[in-house]
Amino acid sequence: MTDLLPQELRVIAAVADARGFSAAARILGMTQSAVSHSVRASERKVGAVLFERGRLGAAPTAAGDVVAGHARRILRLLDVLGAEARGVAAGAGGADTVSGPLRIAAFRSAALYLLPPALERLTARHPGIEPVVRMVREVGRGTAGEVLDGRADLAVATLGTTSPVPQGLVGGVLLEEEYSLVHPAGHAAPRTLPLVDWVENCTSYTRDWWAAQEWIPRATVEAEDDGAVLSMVSRGLGMAIMPGLSLYGAPAGTEITALGPDRPTRSIGYVTTPEQARSLAVRALIRELRAERVESTVSDSRKSD
């Protein structure tokens, strides 16, 4: 059994976040020698080196990254434990008195269009909950990585056969969205335009679909995010293939055309830890996300066959 104390976990997380013993000491209000002593004691208990020490600071080893993630998650559960216990002691069963921050990671279009109505209802029903939303690019480990690393309680993520719920987490699909062609309004031959794209756009499944479409050229413009793509398309600089949530705020000057029955789709869902899935705040947010029905991300009057 690895018997690490909460304060030792706080030190590990602080050193990993600050990338240095001195910086972590300032954050924690400790001396550098006390931080170093705590880390050495933790490494003996764990049986692995957690940080590579150097002139530029302290970088987590592979083991250190894993331990720091667990440390953040455990510390967060201790916070949840206290909040829920106080709620129960208040005599309302905890459901209406749960309070404190609820940390959410979401990619840009989900943070803009999917989360706000769900959070509006959540905070109306549970005014003590304080949503803290961080926008994270859905590349690499993406939003789910924030949950694994203990930096978020729940993430809105893209799910599917090529991006399943990561091991150690639980989750579910909230909605399926289709991809459409977006192009300058009124263009006679939009499929002949240059392609504007951004790195977060597609899973490998969708890229396979793209590869089978002879009319889709290589992207000549790589934008930072879907908002920049839409701005460029609205200015007549090209066409794009985009998922529904990204098209929710499509500007004037764009037109959206369906890609046909074989169009690719994308699953959007939530992921969290098994422990957080049982917490009152996360359960309440999942209920609101499931209740959210995006009837149409694009107005029928703007979408053509």
Side-chain angles (χ1 to χ4, degrees):
M1 177 179 176
T2 302
D3 190 15
L4 292 176
L5 301 174
Q7 179 60 16
E8 291 173 313
L9 298 176
R10 291 188 186 93
V11 170
I12 291 170
V15 174
D17 290 341
R19 290 297 198 268
F21 286 32
S22 297
R26 289 193 295 271
I27 293 169
L28 296 169
M30 300 170 62
T31 64
Q32 181 179 345
S33 60
V35 169
S36 298
H37 175 76
S38 178
V39 170
R40 287 195 298 271
S42 296
E43 289 176 329
R44 287 194 296 271
K45 291 180 180 180
V46 172
V49 175
L50 302 181
F51 297 96
E52 294 286 352
R53 285 79 161 171
R55 290 182 301 169
L56 300 179
T61 62
D65 275 329
V66 171
V67 172
H70 283 297
R72 296 186 197 96
R73 288 163 61 175
I74 292 168
L75 291 169
R76 178 60 179 147
L77 285 176
L78 291 175
D79 290 340
V80 171
L81 179 153
E84 293 196 0
R86 289 188 292 273
V88 171
D96 295 323
T97 57
V98 61
S99 61
L102 176 59
R103 307 170 307 161
I104 306 159
F107 55 91
R108 181 182 178 277
S109 57
L112 287 175
Y113 306 117
L114 180 63
L115 271 177
L119 293 179
E120 183 180 22
R121 293 192 303 273
L122 176 73
T123 53
R125 292 189 174 99
H126 306 277
I129 293 178
E130 304 164 9
V132 179
V133 180
R134 291 183 61 237
M135 285 200 294
V136 177
R137 299 188 78 186
E138 191 67 328
V139 293
R141 298 171 75 237
T143 60
E146 297 295 296
V147 176
L148 284 168
D149 291 342
R151 294 187 174 93
D153 304 322
L154 177 144
V156 180
T158 54
L159 303 176
T161 56
T162 58
S163 52
V165 175
Q167 185 175 3
L169 300 182
V170 295
V173 173
L174 297 169
L175 62 93
E176 298 279 350
E177 57 175 358
E178 66 182 58
Y179 281 79
S180 299
L181 174 66
V182 57
H183 54 87
H187 196 283
R191 294 192 177 202
T192 65
L193 290 168
L195 178 66
V196 184
D197 201 8
W198 83 105
V199 69
E200 288 180 86
N201 192 8
C202 298
T203 63
S204 58
Y205 151 71
T206 310
R207 293 294 182 190
D208 290 342
W209 179 88
W210 281 34
Q213 311 301 309
E214 295 183 357
W215 62 274
I216 303 178
R218 291 176 62 89
T220 55
V221 178
E222 290 281 355
E224 180 65 20
D225 57 40
D226 49 358
V229 171
L230 286 171
S231 179
M232 291 181 182
V233 171
S234 71
R235 295 288 181 174
L237 297 176
M239 56 88 171
I241 298 170
M242 306 181 73
L245 273 182
S246 293
L247 295 174
Y248 196 89
T254 60
E255 185 176 337
I256 296 141
T257 302
L259 289 170
D262 296 328
R263 66 194 180 281
T265 60
R266 182 172 74 166
S267 300
I268 295 177
Y270 69 90
V271 295
T272 185
T273 66
E275 298 80 15
Q276 287 282 11
R278 293 190 289 270
S279 71
L280 293 174
V282 168
R283 283 163 50 200
L285 176 56
I286 291 171
R287 281 195 298 270
E288 298 304 338
L289 286 170
R290 284 176 170 163
E292 181 63 24
R293 292 290 181 263
V294 181
E295 295 181 359
S296 176
T297 56
V298 183
S299 168
D300 289 341
S301 64
R302 297 198 50 209
K303 191 168 183 178
S304 61
D305 296 329

